[in-house]
Amino acid sequence: SQKIEQNSEALNIQEGKTATLTCNYTNYSPAYLQWYRQDPGRGPVFLLLIRENEKEKRKERLKVTFDTTLKQSLFHITASQPADSATYLCALRENNNNDMRFGAGTRLTVKP
Amino acid sequence: DTGVSQDPRHKITKRGQNVTFRCDPISEHNRLYWYRQTLGQGPEFLTYFQNEAQLEKSRLLSDRFSAERPKGSFSTLEIQRTEQGDSAMYLCASSLESPAGAWETQYFGPGTRLLVL
């Protein structure tokens, strides 16, 4: 069966450290993978997209890697801040498929 | 136009009643999606429009659910004879089809939280 698994329900880290979130998928051939941030009671907000032929993408303090052999994406937030506390969702889309499939998310808490 | 808007933000209804939600996408976006999200889960795809045509429906979308996008702008999602299991956040997203057709970014609205008593 198809699955998208994000490493843990919750991740707690200290301010200033790097947060690393994992997204593993099974029985998908994604054309691209996206990461979203979601705050309580709000809709997801797009952060980064990485295509199947890309290994790494960066945007400010954010970095995403994509390993199609391991079927895994890693999402890193460097120099984390309490304001980074939120749920982070990974989502993928296959070729010839119009719907995005989301993982359940990882709730990140950055403590001051 | 600052983003995707949804109305209402919250809805409480009794089992068996009908409810309708509205989504106004970003004005130049030709694609519109509906998702359902329950607590602790990611959004689940329900249906998708390209302009006014409904091109895909998930098997999650039972006969009690119907969606329209009559003029290719705003969309409505109606749930008939609501059940307690319909309680969830209903999210709308819009996007602009990329000329290459290879990828797109979806912009989500704030959602409508439905509680069926």
Side-chain angles (χ1 to χ4, degrees):
Chain A
S1 63
Q2 292 179 313
K3 283 190 290 189
I4 301 172
E5 293 175 305
Q6 296 193 235
N7 55 327
S8 58
E9 267 192 33
L11 181 64
N12 298 317
I13 64 167
Q14 208 64 36
E15 183 176 9
K17 301 292 186 186
T18 296
T20 299
L21 284 66
T22 306
C23 177
N24 294 295
Y25 58 91
T26 307
N27 293 325
Y28 283 106
S29 296
Y32 59 84
L33 192 145
Q34 298 183 342
W35 284 86
Y36 287 81
R37 169 183 173 141
Q38 188 172 26
D39 291 287
R42 296 178 174 260
V45 174
F46 170 77
L47 296 174
L48 280 170
L49 176 150
I50 187 164
R51 296 186 185 88
E52 59 180 329
N53 59 351
E54 297 175 320
K55 298 290 186 189
E56 182 178 300
K57 271 280 186 70
R58 291 176 184 260
K59 179 182 173 183
E60 298 171 352
R61 294 185 296 111
L62 309 180
K63 184 177 85 170
V64 174
T65 62
F66 194 9
D67 188 327
T68 54
T69 302
L70 292 179
K71 300 186 186 301
Q72 180 182 80
S73 174
L74 299 178
F75 177 77
H76 305 272
I77 306 175
T78 58
S80 59
Q81 304 165 0
D84 295 326
S85 299
T87 295
Y88 291 86
L89 300 160
C90 75
L92 59 81
R93 183 163 179 164
E94 296 184 294
N95 282 316
N96 302 317
N97 203 335
N98 288 312
D99 59 296
M100 293 286 290
R101 300 294 180 94
F102 284 82
T106 296
R107 189 173 66 251
L108 174 68
T109 301
V110 181
K111 298 184 177 179
Chain B
D1 192 335
T2 57
V4 179
S5 61
Q6 292 187 245
D7 185 68
R9 293 292 308 277
H10 303 273
K11 179 72 178 179
I12 300 174
T13 192
K14 292 182 180 176
R15 191 175 51 189
Q17 298 293 304
N18 299 343
V19 294
T20 300
F21 309 141
R22 177 179 169 125
C23 171
D24 286 90
I26 293 172
S27 57
E28 64 268 25
H29 285 183
N30 59 346
R31 289 185 170 178
L32 188 147
Y33 300 78
W34 284 99
Y35 292 85
R36 181 174 67 190
Q37 186 176 26
T38 53
L39 202 61
Q41 299 299 314
E44 294 175 295
F45 169 79
L46 293 178
T47 190
Y48 148 68
F49 290 84
Q50 177 134 336
N51 300 310
E52 65 275 8
Q54 188 173 16
L55 296 187
E56 193 165 332
K57 288 197 282 189
S58 162
R59 58 180 171 76
L60 294 174
L61 214 65
S62 77
D63 291 344
R64 298 184 296 106
F65 288 70
S66 62
E68 293 182 343
R69 194 183 183 198
K71 297 182 181 178
S73 56
F74 73 92
S75 175
T76 57
L77 177 70
E78 182 183 15
I79 309 174
Q80 296 182 324
R81 304 181 304 282
T82 52
E83 301 172 357
Q84 287 181 324
D86 297 331
S87 296
M89 171 85 90
Y90 289 85
L91 292 162
C92 173
S94 71
S95 68
L96 185 63
E97 183 184 10
S98 160
W103 60 271
E104 61 188 68
T105 297
Q106 295 185 16
Y107 295 85
F108 282 82
T112 295
R113 184 168 294 284
L114 173 67
L115 177 61
V116 182
L117 301 176

Coordinates of all heavy atoms in Angstrom, one line a residue, chain A residues 28-102:
Chain A
Y28 N 5.3 5.1 -4.1 CA 5.0 6.3 -4.9 C 6.2 6.6 -5.8 O 7.4 6.2 -5.5 CB 4.9 7.5 -4.0 CG 3.6 7.7 -3.3 CD1 3.5 7.4 -1.9 CD2 2.4 8.1 -3.9 CE1 2.3 7.6 -1.2 CE2 1.2 8.2 -3.3 CZ 1.2 8.0 -1.9 OH 0.0 8.1 -1.3
S29 N 5.9 7.2 -6.9 CA 7.0 7.7 -7.8 C 6.8 9.2 -7.9 O 6.2 9.6 -8.9 CB 7.0 7.0 -9.1 OG 7.2 5.6 -9.0
P30 N 7.2 10.0 -7.0 CA 6.9 11.4 -7.0 C 7.6 12.2 -8.1 O 8.8 11.9 -8.4 CB 7.3 11.9 -5.6 CG 8.2 10.9 -5.1 CD 8.0 9.6 -5.8
A31 N 6.9 13.0 -8.8 CA 7.5 14.0 -9.7 C 8.1 15.1 -8.9 O 9.1 15.6 -9.3 CB 6.4 14.5 -10.6
Y32 N 7.5 15.5 -7.8 CA 8.1 16.4 -6.9 C 7.6 16.3 -5.5 O 6.5 15.6 -5.3 CB 8.0 17.9 -7.4 CG 6.6 18.3 -7.6 CD1 5.8 18.8 -6.6 CD2 6.0 18.3 -8.9 CE1 4.5 19.3 -6.8 CE2 4.7 18.7 -9.1 CZ 4.0 19.2 -8.1 OH 2.7 19.7 -8.3
L33 N 8.2 16.9 -4.6 CA 7.9 16.8 -3.2 C 7.9 18.2 -2.6 O 8.7 19.0 -3.0 CB 8.8 15.9 -2.4 CG 8.5 15.5 -1.0 CD1 9.0 14.0 -0.8 CD2 9.1 16.4 0.0
Q34 N 6.9 18.5 -1.8 CA 6.8 19.9 -1.2 C 6.8 19.8 0.3 O 6.4 18.8 0.9 CB 5.6 20.6 -1.7 CG 5.5 20.8 -3.2 CD 4.3 21.6 -3.6 OE1 3.3 21.7 -2.9 NE2 4.3 22.1 -4.8
W35 N 7.2 20.8 1.0 CA 7.1 21.0 2.4 C 6.3 22.2 2.7 O 6.4 23.3 2.1 CB 8.5 21.1 3.1 CG 9.2 19.8 3.1 CD1 10.0 19.2 2.2 CD2 9.2 18.9 4.2 NE1 10.5 18.0 2.6 CE2 10.0 17.8 3.8 CE3 8.6 18.9 5.5 CZ2 10.2 16.7 4.7 CZ3 8.8 17.8 6.3 CH2 9.6 16.7 5.9
Y36 N 5.4 22.0 3.7 CA 4.4 23.1 4.1 C 4.6 23.3 5.6 O 4.9 22.3 6.3 CB 3.0 22.7 3.8 CG 2.6 22.8 2.3 CD1 2.9 21.7 1.5 CD2 1.9 23.8 1.8 CE1 2.5 21.8 0.1 CE2 1.5 23.9 0.5 CZ 1.8 22.8 -0.3 OH 1.4 22.9 -1.7
R37 N 4.3 24.5 6.0 CA 4.1 24.8 7.4 C 2.7 25.0 7.8 O 2.0 25.7 7.0 CB 4.9 26.0 7.8 CG 4.7 26.6 9.2 CD 5.4 27.8 9.5 NE 5.0 28.4 10.7 CZ 5.8 28.9 11.6 NH1 7.1 29.1 11.3 NH2 5.3 29.4 12.8
Q38 N 2.2 24.5 8.9 CA 0.8 24.7 9.3 C 0.8 25.1 10.8 O 1.3 24.4 11.6 CB 0.0 23.5 9.1 CG -1.5 23.7 9.3 CD -2.4 22.6 8.9 OE1 -2.0 21.4 8.9 NE2 -3.7 22.9 8.5
D39 N 0.2 26.3 11.0 CA 0.0 26.7 12.4 C -1.4 26.3 12.8 O -2.3 26.1 12.0 CB 0.2 28.2 12.5 CG 1.6 28.6 12.3 OD1 2.4 28.4 13.2 OD2 2.0 29.1 11.2
P40 N -1.6 26.2 14.1 CA -2.9 25.7 14.6 C -4.1 26.6 14.1 O -4.0 27.8 14.1 CB -2.8 25.8 16.2 CG -1.4 25.7 16.4 CD -0.7 26.4 15.3
G41 N -5.1 25.9 13.6 CA -6.3 26.6 13.1 C -6.1 27.3 11.8 O -7.0 28.1 11.4
R42 N -5.0 27.1 11.1 CA -4.8 27.7 9.8 C -4.5 26.7 8.7 O -4.2 25.6 9.0 CB -3.6 28.7 9.9 CG -3.9 29.8 10.9 CD -2.7 30.7 11.1 NE -3.0 31.9 11.9 CZ -3.2 33.1 11.4 NH1 -3.2 33.3 10.1 NH2 -3.5 34.1 12.2
G43 N -4.6 27.2 7.5 CA -4.2 26.3 6.4 C -2.7 26.2 6.2 O -2.0 27.0 6.7
P44 N -2.3 25.1 5.5 CA -0.8 25.0 5.3 C -0.3 26.1 4.4 O -1.0 26.6 3.5 CB -0.7 23.7 4.5 CG -2.0 22.9 4.8 CD -3.0 24.0 5.0
V45 N 1.0 26.5 4.7 CA 1.7 27.5 3.9 C 2.9 26.9 3.2 O 3.7 26.2 3.8 CB 2.1 28.7 4.8 CG1 3.0 29.7 4.0 CG2 0.9 29.4 5.4
F46 N 3.0 27.0 1.9 CA 4.0 26.4 1.1 C 5.4 27.0 1.5 O 5.5 28.2 1.7 CB 3.8 26.7 -0.4 CG 5.0 26.4 -1.3 CD1 5.2 25.0 -1.6 CD2 5.8 27.4 -1.8 CE1 6.3 24.7 -2.4 CE2 6.8 27.1 -2.6 CZ 7.1 25.7 -2.9
L47 N 6.4 26.1 1.6 CA 7.7 26.5 2.0 C 8.7 26.3 0.8 O 9.4 27.2 0.3 CB 8.2 25.8 3.2 CG 7.5 26.1 4.5 CD1 7.9 25.2 5.7 CD2 7.6 27.6 4.9
L48 N 8.8 25.0 0.4 CA 9.8 24.6 -0.6 C 9.3 23.5 -1.4 O 8.5 22.6 -0.9 CB 11.1 24.1 0.1 CG 12.1 25.2 0.6 CD1 13.2 24.5 1.5 CD2 12.7 25.9 -0.5
L49 N 9.8 23.4 -2.7 CA 9.5 22.3 -3.6 C 10.8 21.8 -4.1 O 11.7 22.6 -4.4 CB 8.6 22.9 -4.7 CG 8.3 21.9 -5.9 CD1 6.9 22.3 -6.5 CD2 9.4 21.9 -7.0
I50 N 10.9 20.5 -4.2 CA 12.1 19.9 -4.8 C 11.6 18.8 -5.8 O 10.7 18.0 -5.5 CB 13.0 19.3 -3.7 CG1 14.3 18.8 -4.3 CG2 12.3 18.2 -2.9 CD1 15.4 18.6 -3.3
R51 N 12.2 18.9 -7.0 CA 11.8 17.9 -8.1 C 12.6 16.6 -8.0 O 13.6 16.5 -7.3 CB 12.1 18.6 -9.4 CG 11.3 19.8 -9.7 CD 11.5 20.3 -11.1 NE 10.8 21.5 -11.4 CZ 11.3 22.7 -11.2 NH1 12.6 22.9 -10.7 NH2 10.7 23.8 -11.5
E52 N 12.1 15.6 -8.7 CA 12.7 14.3 -8.6 C 14.1 14.3 -9.1 O 14.9 13.4 -8.6 CB 11.9 13.3 -9.4 CG 11.8 13.7 -10.9 CD 10.9 12.7 -11.7 OE1 10.9 11.5 -11.3 OE2 10.3 13.1 -12.7
N53 N 14.5 15.2 -9.9 CA 15.9 15.2 -10.4 C 16.8 16.2 -9.7 O 17.9 16.4 -10.1 CB 15.9 15.5 -11.9 CG 15.3 16.9 -12.2 OD1 14.7 17.5 -11.3 ND2 15.4 17.4 -13.4
E54 N 16.3 16.7 -8.6 CA 17.1 17.6 -7.7 C 17.5 16.9 -6.4 O 16.7 16.1 -5.9 CB 16.3 18.9 -7.4 CG 16.0 19.7 -8.7 CD 15.1 20.9 -8.4 OE1 14.2 20.8 -7.5 OE2 15.4 21.9 -9.0
K55 N 18.7 17.2 -5.9 CA 19.1 16.6 -4.7 C 18.9 17.5 -3.5 O 18.7 17.0 -2.4 CB 20.7 16.3 -4.8 CG 21.0 15.3 -5.9 CD 20.6 13.9 -5.6 CE 21.0 12.9 -6.6 NZ 20.4 11.6 -6.4
E56 N 19.0 18.8 -3.7 CA 19.0 19.7 -2.6 C 18.4 21.0 -3.0 O 18.7 21.5 -4.1 CB 20.4 19.9 -2.0 CG 20.5 20.7 -0.8 CD 21.9 20.8 -0.3 OE1 22.5 19.8 0.0 OE2 22.5 22.0 -0.3
K57 N 17.7 21.7 -2.1 CA 17.2 23.0 -2.3 C 17.3 23.8 -1.1 O 17.1 23.3 0.0 CB 15.7 23.0 -2.7 CG 15.3 22.9 -4.2 CD 15.5 24.2 -4.9 CE 15.0 24.1 -6.3 NZ 13.5 24.0 -6.4
R58 N 17.6 25.1 -1.2 CA 17.8 25.9 0.0 C 17.0 27.2 -0.2 O 16.8 27.7 -1.3 CB 19.3 26.3 0.2 CG 20.2 25.2 0.6 CD 21.6 25.6 0.7 NE 22.5 24.5 1.0 CZ 23.0 24.3 2.2 NH1 22.7 25.0 3.2 NH2 23.8 23.2 2.3
K59 N 16.5 27.7 1.0 CA 15.8 29.0 1.0 C 16.1 29.6 2.4 O 15.5 29.1 3.4 CB 14.4 28.8 0.7 CG 13.6 30.1 0.8 CD 12.1 29.8 0.5 CE 11.3 31.1 0.7 NZ 9.8 30.8 0.6
E60 N 16.9 30.5 2.5 CA 17.2 31.2 3.8 C 17.7 30.1 4.8 O 18.7 29.4 4.5 CB 16.0 32.0 4.3 CG 15.7 33.1 3.3 CD 14.4 33.8 3.6 OE1 13.6 33.4 4.5 OE2 14.1 34.9 3.0
R61 N 17.0 29.9 5.9 CA 17.5 29.0 6.9 C 16.9 27.6 6.6 O 17.2 26.6 7.4 CB 17.0 29.4 8.3 CG 17.7 30.7 8.7 CD 17.3 31.1 10.2 NE 15.8 31.4 10.3 CZ 15.0 30.6 11.0 NH1 15.4 29.5 11.5 NH2 13.7 30.9 11.0
L62 N 16.2 27.4 5.5 CA 15.6 26.1 5.2 C 16.4 25.3 4.2 O 17.0 26.0 3.2 CB 14.2 26.3 4.7 CG 13.3 27.2 5.5 CD1 11.9 27.2 4.9 CD2 13.2 26.6 6.9
K63 N 16.5 24.0 4.3 CA 17.1 23.2 3.3 C 16.3 21.9 3.2 O 15.9 21.3 4.2 CB 18.6 22.8 3.7 CG 19.3 22.0 2.7 CD 20.8 21.8 3.0 CE 20.9 20.5 3.9 NZ 22.3 20.1 4.1
V64 N 16.1 21.5 2.0 CA 15.4 20.2 1.7 C 16.3 19.3 0.8 O 17.0 19.8 -0.1 CB 14.1 20.5 0.9 CG1 13.5 19.1 0.5 CG2 13.1 21.3 1.8
T65 N 16.4 18.1 1.2 CA 17.1 17.1 0.3 C 16.1 16.0 -0.1 O 15.0 15.8 0.5 CB 18.2 16.4 1.1 OG1 17.7 15.7 2.2 CG2 19.2 17.4 1.6
F66 N 16.4 15.4 -1.2 CA 15.5 14.4 -1.8 C 16.3 13.3 -2.3 O 17.2 13.5 -3.2 CB 14.7 15.1 -3.0 CG 13.5 14.3 -3.5 CD1 13.0 13.2 -2.8 CD2 12.9 14.8 -4.6 CE1 11.9 12.6 -3.3 CE2 11.7 14.1 -5.1 CZ 11.3 13.0 -4.4
D67 N 16.1 12.1 -1.8 CA 16.8 10.9 -2.2 C 15.8 9.9 -2.7 O 15.1 9.2 -1.9 CB 17.6 10.3 -1.0 CG 18.6 9.2 -1.4 OD1 18.3 8.5 -2.4 OD2 19.6 9.1 -0.8
T68 N 15.8 9.8 -4.0 CA 14.7 8.9 -4.6 C 15.1 7.4 -4.5 O 14.3 6.5 -4.6 CB 14.5 9.2 -6.1 OG1 15.8 9.2 -6.8 CG2 13.9 10.6 -6.3
T69 N 16.4 7.1 -4.2 CA 16.8 5.7 -3.9 C 16.3 5.3 -2.6 O 15.8 4.2 -2.4 CB 18.3 5.6 -4.0 OG1 18.8 6.0 -5.3 CG2 18.8 4.2 -3.8
L70 N 16.6 6.2 -1.6 CA 16.1 5.9 -0.2 C 14.6 6.2 -0.1 O 14.0 5.8 1.0 CB 16.9 6.8 0.8 CG 18.3 6.4 1.0 CD1 19.0 7.4 2.0 CD2 18.5 5.0 1.5
K71 N 14.0 6.8 -1.0 CA 12.6 7.3 -1.0 C 12.4 8.1 0.3 O 11.5 7.9 1.1 CB 11.7 6.0 -1.0 CG 11.8 5.2 -2.2 CD 10.8 4.1 -2.3 CE 11.1 3.2 -3.5 NZ 11.0 3.9 -4.8
Q72 N 13.2 9.2 0.4 CA 13.2 10.0 1.6 C 13.5 11.4 1.2 O 14.3 11.7 0.4 CB 14.3 9.4 2.5 CG 14.4 10.2 3.8 CD 15.5 9.6 4.7 OE1 16.6 9.9 4.5 NE2 15.1 8.8 5.7
S73 N 12.9 12.3 2.0 CA 13.2 13.7 2.0 C 13.5 14.2 3.4 O 12.8 13.8 4.3 CB 12.1 14.6 1.4 OG 12.4 15.9 1.5
L74 N 14.5 15.0 3.5 CA 14.9 15.6 4.8 C 14.7 17.1 4.7 O 15.0 17.7 3.7 CB 16.3 15.3 5.2 CG 16.7 13.8 5.4 CD1 18.2 13.7 5.7 CD2 15.8 13.1 6.4
F75 N 14.1 17.6 5.8 CA 13.8 19.1 5.9 C 14.6 19.6 7.1 O 14.4 19.1 8.2 CB 12.3 19.3 6.0 CG 11.9 20.7 6.2 CD1 11.8 21.6 5.1 CD2 11.5 21.2 7.4 CE1 11.4 22.9 5.2 CE2 11.1 22.5 7.6 CZ 11.0 23.3 6.5
H76 N 15.4 20.6 6.8 CA 16.3 21.1 7.9 C 15.9 22.6 8.1 O 15.8 23.4 7.1 CB 17.8 21.0 7.5 CG 18.2 19.7 7.1 ND1 18.7 18.8 8.1 CD2 18.3 19.1 5.9 CE1 19.1 17.7 7.4 NE2 18.8 17.8 6.1
I77 N 15.9 23.0 9.4 CA 15.8 24.4 9.8 C 17.0 24.7 10.6 O 17.2 24.1 11.7 CB 14.5 24.7 10.6 CG1 13.3 24.2 9.8 CG2 14.4 26.2 10.8 CD1 12.0 24.4 10.7
T78 N 17.9 25.5 10.1 CA 19.1 25.9 10.9 C 18.8 27.1 11.7 O 17.9 27.9 11.5 CB 20.3 26.2 9.9 OG1 19.9 27.2 9.0 CG2 20.6 25.0 9.1
A79 N 19.6 27.2 12.8 CA 19.5 28.4 13.7 C 18.1 28.5 14.1 O 17.5 29.6 14.0 CB 20.1 29.6 13.1
S80 N 17.4 27.5 14.6 CA 16.0 27.5 14.8 C 15.6 28.5 15.9 O 16.4 28.9 16.8 CB 15.5 26.1 15.3 OG 16.2 25.7 16.4
Q81 N 14.4 29.0 15.7 CA 13.8 30.1 16.6 C 12.5 29.6 17.1 O 11.8 28.8 16.5 CB 13.7 31.4 15.8 CG 14.9 31.9 15.1 CD 14.6 32.9 14.1 OE1 13.4 33.3 13.8 NE2 15.6 33.4 13.4
P82 N 12.1 30.1 18.3 CA 10.7 29.8 18.8 C 9.6 30.0 17.8 O 8.7 29.3 17.7 CB 10.6 30.6 20.0 CG 12.0 30.8 20.5 CD 12.8 30.9 19.3
A83 N 9.8 31.0 16.9 CA 8.8 31.3 15.9 C 8.7 30.2 14.8 O 7.7 30.2 14.1 CB 9.1 32.6 15.2
D84 N 9.7 29.3 14.8 CA 9.6 28.2 13.9 C 8.7 27.1 14.4 O 8.4 26.1 13.7 CB 11.0 27.6 13.6 CG 11.9 28.6 12.9 OD1 11.5 29.4 12.1 OD2 13.2 28.6 13.3
S85 N 8.2 27.2 15.6 CA 7.3 26.2 16.2 C 6.1 26.1 15.4 O 5.3 27.1 15.2 CB 7.0 26.5 17.6 OG 8.2 26.5 18.4
A86 N 5.8 24.9 14.8 CA 4.6 24.7 14.0 C 4.6 23.2 13.6 O 5.5 22.5 14.0 CB 4.6 25.6 12.7
T87 N 3.6 22.8 12.9 CA 3.5 21.5 12.3 C 4.0 21.6 10.8 O 3.6 22.5 10.1 CB 2.1 20.9 12.3 OG1 1.7 20.7 13.6 CG2 2.1 19.6 11.5
Y88 N 4.9 20.7 10.5 CA 5.5 20.7 9.1 C 5.0 19.5 8.4 O 5.1 18.3 8.9 CB 7.0 20.8 9.2 CG 7.5 22.1 9.7 CD1 7.6 22.4 11.1 CD2 7.8 23.2 8.8 CE1 8.0 23.6 11.5 CE2 8.2 24.4 9.3 CZ 8.3 24.6 10.7 OH 8.6 25.9 11.1
L89 N 4.5 19.7 7.2 CA 3.9 18.6 6.4 C 4.7 18.4 5.1 O 5.1 19.4 4.5 CB 2.5 19.0 5.9 CG 1.4 19.3 7.0 CD1 0.3 20.1 6.5 CD2 0.9 18.0 7.6
C90 N 4.9 17.2 4.8 CA 5.5 16.9 3.5 C 4.4 16.4 2.6 O 3.4 15.8 3.0 CB 6.7 15.9 3.5 SG 6.2 14.2 3.7
A91 N 4.5 16.7 1.3 CA 3.5 16.3 0.4 C 4.1 16.0 -1.0 O 5.1 16.6 -1.3 CB 2.5 17.5 0.1
L92 N 3.6 15.0 -1.6 CA 4.2 14.7 -2.9 C 3.1 14.5 -4.0 O 1.9 14.4 -3.7 CB 5.0 13.4 -2.8 CG 4.3 12.1 -2.3 CD1 3.6 11.4 -3.5 CD2 5.4 11.1 -1.8
R93 N 3.6 14.6 -5.2 CA 2.7 14.5 -6.4 C 3.4 13.6 -7.4 O 4.6 13.8 -7.7 CB 2.4 15.9 -6.9 CG 1.4 15.9 -8.1 CD 0.9 17.3 -8.3 NE 0.0 17.4 -9.4 CZ -0.8 18.4 -9.5 NH1 -0.8 19.4 -8.7 NH2 -1.6 18.4 -10.5
E94 N 2.6 12.7 -7.9 CA 3.1 11.8 -9.0 C 2.8 12.4 -10.3 O 1.9 13.2 -10.5 CB 2.5 10.5 -8.9 CG 2.9 9.7 -7.5 CD 2.3 8.3 -7.5 OE1 1.1 8.2 -7.5 OE2 3.1 7.4 -7.5
N95 N 3.6 12.0 -11.3 CA 3.3 12.3 -12.7 C 1.9 11.8 -13.1 O 1.5 10.8 -12.6 CB 4.3 11.7 -13.7 CG 5.6 12.5 -13.7 OD1 5.6 13.8 -13.7 ND2 6.7 11.8 -13.6
N96 N 1.2 12.5 -13.9 CA -0.2 12.1 -14.4 C -1.2 11.9 -13.2 O -2.1 11.1 -13.3 CB -0.1 10.8 -15.2 CG 0.9 11.0 -16.3 OD1 0.8 12.0 -17.0 ND2 1.7 10.0 -16.5
N97 N -0.9 12.7 -12.1 CA -1.9 12.6 -11.0 C -2.1 14.0 -10.5 O -1.1 14.7 -10.3 CB -1.2 11.7 -9.9 CG -2.3 11.1 -9.0 OD1 -3.4 11.7 -8.9 ND2 -1.9 10.0 -8.4
N98 N -3.4 14.3 -10.3 CA -3.7 15.7 -10.0 C -3.7 16.0 -8.5 O -3.8 17.2 -8.1 CB -5.0 16.1 -10.6 CG -4.9 16.3 -12.1 OD1 -4.0 16.9 -12.6 ND2 -5.8 15.6 -12.9
D99 N -3.7 15.0 -7.7 CA -3.8 15.3 -6.3 C -2.5 15.2 -5.5 O -1.7 14.4 -5.9 CB -4.9 14.4 -5.6 CG -4.5 12.9 -5.7 OD1 -4.5 12.4 -6.9 OD2 -4.3 12.2 -4.7
M100 N -2.3 16.1 -4.6 CA -1.2 16.0 -3.7 C -1.5 15.1 -2.5 O -2.6 15.1 -2.0 CB -0.9 17.4 -3.1 CG -0.5 18.5 -4.1 SD 1.2 18.2 -4.6 CE 2.1 18.7 -3.1
R101 N -0.5 14.3 -2.2 CA -0.7 13.4 -1.0 C 0.2 13.9 0.1 O 1.4 14.1 -0.1 CB -0.3 12.0 -1.4 CG -1.1 11.4 -2.5 CD -2.5 11.1 -2.2 NE -3.3 10.6 -3.3 CZ -3.5 9.3 -3.4 NH1 -3.0 8.4 -2.6 NH2 -4.2 8.9 -4.5
F102 N -0.4 14.0 1.3 CA 0.2 14.6 2.4 C 0.6 13.6 3.5 O -0.2 12.6 3.7 CB -0.7 15.7 3.1 CG -0.7 17.0 2.3 CD1 -1.6 17.1 1.3 CD2 0.1 18.0 2.7 CE1 -1.7 18.3 0.6 CE2 0.0 19.2 2.0 CZ -0.9 19.4 1.0

